[in-house]
Short mmCIF file of all heavy atoms in Angstrom, two decimals:
data_model
loop_
_atom_site.label_atom_id
_atom_site.label_comp_id
_atom_site.label_asym_id
_atom_site.label_seq_id
_atom_site.Cartn_x
_atom_site.Cartn_y
_atom_site.Cartn_z
N LYS V 2 -48.00 27.85 -25.98
CA LYS V 2 -47.97 26.48 -25.45
C LYS V 2 -47.20 26.48 -24.15
O LYS V 2 -46.07 26.93 -24.09
CB LYS V 2 -47.29 25.54 -26.44
CG LYS V 2 -47.29 24.09 -25.96
CD LYS V 2 -46.61 23.17 -26.94
CE LYS V 2 -47.47 22.99 -28.18
NZ LYS V 2 -46.90 21.97 -29.10
N ALA V 40 -7.03 -9.71 -1.44
CA ALA V 40 -6.04 -9.72 -0.37
C ALA V 40 -6.62 -9.07 0.88
O ALA V 40 -7.57 -8.29 0.80
CB ALA V 40 -4.78 -8.97 -0.81
N VAL V 77 -2.31 8.92 -5.54
CA VAL V 77 -3.21 8.76 -4.40
C VAL V 77 -2.79 9.70 -3.26
O VAL V 77 -3.62 10.39 -2.67
CB VAL V 77 -3.23 7.30 -3.92
CG1 VAL V 77 -3.96 7.16 -2.58
CG2 VAL V 77 -3.90 6.42 -4.96
N LEU V 153 11.24 -11.84 -4.62
CA LEU V 153 11.64 -11.51 -5.98
C LEU V 153 11.00 -12.54 -6.92
O LEU V 153 10.94 -13.72 -6.59
CB LEU V 153 13.16 -11.58 -6.10
CG LEU V 153 13.79 -11.29 -7.48
CD1 LEU V 153 13.57 -9.84 -7.88
CD2 LEU V 153 15.28 -11.62 -7.44
N PRO V 158 15.82 -18.79 -12.43
CA PRO V 158 16.07 -19.00 -11.00
C PRO V 158 17.25 -18.17 -10.55
O PRO V 158 18.30 -18.16 -11.21
CB PRO V 158 16.36 -20.51 -10.91
CG PRO V 158 16.87 -20.87 -12.26
CD PRO V 158 16.17 -19.98 -13.24
N LEU V 168 19.98 -7.69 -14.39
CA LEU V 168 18.55 -8.02 -14.36
C LEU V 168 17.71 -6.75 -14.40
O LEU V 168 17.86 -5.86 -13.56
CB LEU V 168 18.24 -8.81 -13.08
CG LEU V 168 16.81 -9.33 -12.93
CD1 LEU V 168 16.53 -10.46 -13.91
CD2 LEU V 168 16.57 -9.80 -11.49
N LEU V 172 10.85 -1.54 -10.28
CA LEU V 172 10.80 -0.99 -8.93
C LEU V 172 9.83 0.20 -8.91
O LEU V 172 9.59 0.83 -9.95
CB LEU V 172 12.18 -0.51 -8.48
CG LEU V 172 13.22 -1.59 -8.21
CD1 LEU V 172 14.56 -0.94 -7.88
CD2 LEU V 172 12.80 -2.52 -7.08
N LYS V 176 13.78 6.14 -4.46
CA LYS V 176 15.21 6.36 -4.67
C LYS V 176 16.06 5.39 -3.86
O LYS V 176 17.12 4.94 -4.32
CB LYS V 176 15.57 7.80 -4.30
CG LYS V 176 14.95 8.86 -5.19
CD LYS V 176 15.33 10.26 -4.74
CE LYS V 176 14.68 11.32 -5.61
NZ LYS V 176 15.00 12.69 -5.13
N THR V 184 23.22 -1.41 -6.45
CA THR V 184 24.40 -1.93 -5.75
C THR V 184 24.54 -3.43 -5.98
O THR V 184 25.66 -3.96 -6.08
CB THR V 184 24.30 -1.63 -4.24
OG1 THR V 184 24.26 -0.22 -4.05
CG2 THR V 184 25.49 -2.21 -3.49
N VAL V 197 2.56 -2.88 -13.82
CA VAL V 197 3.61 -3.89 -13.66
C VAL V 197 3.33 -5.14 -14.49
O VAL V 197 4.23 -5.68 -15.15
CB VAL V 197 3.79 -4.27 -12.18
CG1 VAL V 197 4.79 -5.43 -12.03
CG2 VAL V 197 4.29 -3.06 -11.38
N PHE V 221 0.76 -12.07 -11.25
CA PHE V 221 2.12 -12.02 -11.79
C PHE V 221 2.63 -13.41 -12.12
O PHE V 221 3.58 -13.56 -12.90
CB PHE V 221 3.06 -11.33 -10.81
CG PHE V 221 2.77 -9.86 -10.59
CD1 PHE V 221 3.25 -9.21 -9.46
CD2 PHE V 221 2.05 -9.13 -11.51
CE1 PHE V 221 3.00 -7.87 -9.25
CE2 PHE V 221 1.79 -7.78 -11.32
CZ PHE V 221 2.26 -7.15 -10.18
N LYS V 244 -6.33 15.04 5.72
CA LYS V 244 -6.65 15.88 6.88
C LYS V 244 -7.50 17.08 6.47
O LYS V 244 -8.39 17.51 7.24
CB LYS V 244 -5.37 16.36 7.56
CG LYS V 244 -5.63 17.07 8.90
CD LYS V 244 -4.33 17.42 9.60
CE LYS V 244 -4.62 17.98 11.00
NZ LYS V 244 -5.38 19.25 10.94
N ALA V 273 -4.16 -11.62 7.70
CA ALA V 273 -2.97 -11.44 6.88
C ALA V 273 -1.95 -12.57 7.01
O ALA V 273 -1.43 -13.06 6.00
CB ALA V 273 -2.30 -10.11 7.22
#
Side-chain angles (χ1 to χ4, degrees):
K2 182 180 288 187
V77 170
L153 179 66
L168 184 71
L172 291 175
K176 295 178 181 178
T184 299
V197 174
F221 293 160
K244 188 175 187 297

